[in-house]
Amino acid sequence: MRVHLCGVRGSTPAPGAEFLRYGGHTSSVAISHDDAVRPALVLDAGTGLRQVTPLLGGGPFTGTILLTHLHWDHVHGLPFFRGGDRDDARVTLLLPAQESGESAAAALARGMSPPHFPIGPEGLRGDWTFGSLPTGPLKAEGFTVEALEVPHKGGRTYGYRVSDGHSVLTYIPDHCPTVLGPGPEGLGEYHPAALDLAAGTDLLIHDAFLLASEVPAEAAFGHAAAEYAAGLGRRAGARRVALAHHKPDRTDDELDALARSFAPGGPAGRGSSGAPGTPGVPGTPEIFVAAEGGILGL
Ligand SMILES: [Zn+2]
Ligand SMILES: [Zn+2]
């Protein structure tokens, strides 16, 4: 599969000269089959969803959008998705089944309808279907997907494990593992849902909103540290870990420094044994900082 990183920023877009290299669009990842021209599966609909339209070669989007949850930075791209908002589009949008039993369309419309926004979900052109997703397996656009709930803050949140039968992508952009306890390093628990989603994955795209040093003061906002993402990758046997969902204030220079700290031999690139990580070897994943526009072949 091919993975397009269309938006890797968390919370709110980050325009400006200091954010150009890693990008300012919020969460969205597009996935295409190896042999397909266009992506058919999209994970999250932050403002990065606008970046999916140019991948469609002028055609409509026909596929599935899976939302991890309904926070603004994961849905605000929806009404600006020109490839999906056209008469010949066919879109299935699925989101976590709400604890209240509220329908998917109604839950989405609470944030997207007048007076908050000029139109509701039903105002999008094309053939849109909105559905609630229970945890567990599903088939979508020729991919096998496993959805599991992960702790976050304020609303039910899923992580996804996507397989094409050949490779596996794990996507956990918003995750607050300290909700379940401090874990071995004080960064949160390495809990079964996270470990199951990431087990042996080819690429783990994970929340790295915080640095370990920020966890004591800021974990209550609902996010994980970059060092936790790396630790999860190591424990789960991931091949690569993409640090993502960057804090909106985290500049390109600061993200460069984060990348250097995880480079083999760098201060944070060492495994729990203290040995430098070796890219491609199970237990010592390659760890890198996700940048908007990145295309990864799995
Ligand atoms: Zn988010
Ligand atoms: Zn969130």
Side-chain angles (χ1 to χ4, degrees):
M1 65 177 97
R2 261 196 322 281
V3 178
H4 300 262
L5 303 176
C6 296
V8 296
R9 193 63 59 172
S11 295
T12 193
E18 293 174 288
F19 309 99
L20 289 178
R21 284 187 287 111
Y22 289 92
H25 275 305
T26 67
S27 302
S28 191
V29 168
I31 305 166
S32 39
H33 287 283
D34 256 348
D35 53 354
V37 179
R38 303 171 186 173
L41 182 65
V42 173
L43 306 176
D44 277 336
T47 65
L49 186 60
R50 290 179 58 208
Q51 305 289 83
V52 177
T53 298
L55 304 176
L56 301 172
F61 181 69
T62 58
T64 297
I65 300 175
L66 300 175
L67 303 183
T68 55
H69 62 310
L70 290 171
H71 289 168
W72 289 348
D73 52 323
H74 300 257
V75 298
H76 265 178
L78 272 179
F80 304 102
F81 180 26
R82 281 188 293 109
D85 179 25
R86 49 188 274 179
D87 291 338
D88 52 356
R90 192 266 305 157
V91 188
T92 303
L93 186 147
L94 303 174
L95 53 93
Q98 299 298 293
E99 284 126 332
S100 62
E102 187 176 32
S103 74
L108 197 57
R110 278 199 282 132
M112 179 184 166
S113 63
H116 307 287
F117 194 75
I119 61 164
E122 77 292 343
L124 294 165
R125 288 168 292 181
D127 178 11
W128 284 71
T129 307
F130 303 96
S132 297
L133 194 64
T135 55
L138 81 143
K139 298 268 187 198
E141 312 299 336
F143 295 97
T144 303
V145 181
E146 178 82 11
L148 291 178
E149 188 165 356
V150 297
H152 180 36
K153 179 172 184 159
R156 198 173 192 207
T157 301
Y158 287 175
Y160 291 112
R161 178 182 174 93
V162 179
S163 171
D164 65 352
H166 174 70
S167 357
V168 176
L169 164 70
T170 301
Y171 181 67
I172 313 177
D174 291 51
H175 184 196
C176 189
T178 47
V179 164
L180 300 177
E185 298 135 0
L187 302 175
E189 291 290 345
Y190 296 100
H191 57 91
L195 289 166
D196 285 356
L197 286 166
T201 190
D202 293 291
L203 175 64
L204 167 63
I205 300 175
H206 193 279
D207 191 345
F209 193 82
L210 299 176
L211 308 178
S213 58
E214 296 168 335
V215 165
E218 299 181 49
F221 292 116
H223 292 288
E227 292 84 347
Y228 175 91
L232 177 60
R234 279 188 208 105
R235 282 171 172 75
R239 282 185 54 235
R240 306 179 79 189
V241 178
L243 305 174
H245 200 273
H246 310 309
K247 207 182 231 191
D249 295 333
R250 197 86 71 201
T251 64
D252 288 336
D253 289 348
E254 289 170 338
L255 289 170
D256 282 345
L258 182 66
R260 280 196 299 275
S261 79
F262 281 100
R270 298 168 190 278
S272 48
S273 64
T278 308
V281 175
T284 55
E286 178 197 355
I287 296 162
F288 63 101
V289 177
E292 184 181 312
I295 304 171
L296 302 158
L298 304 185

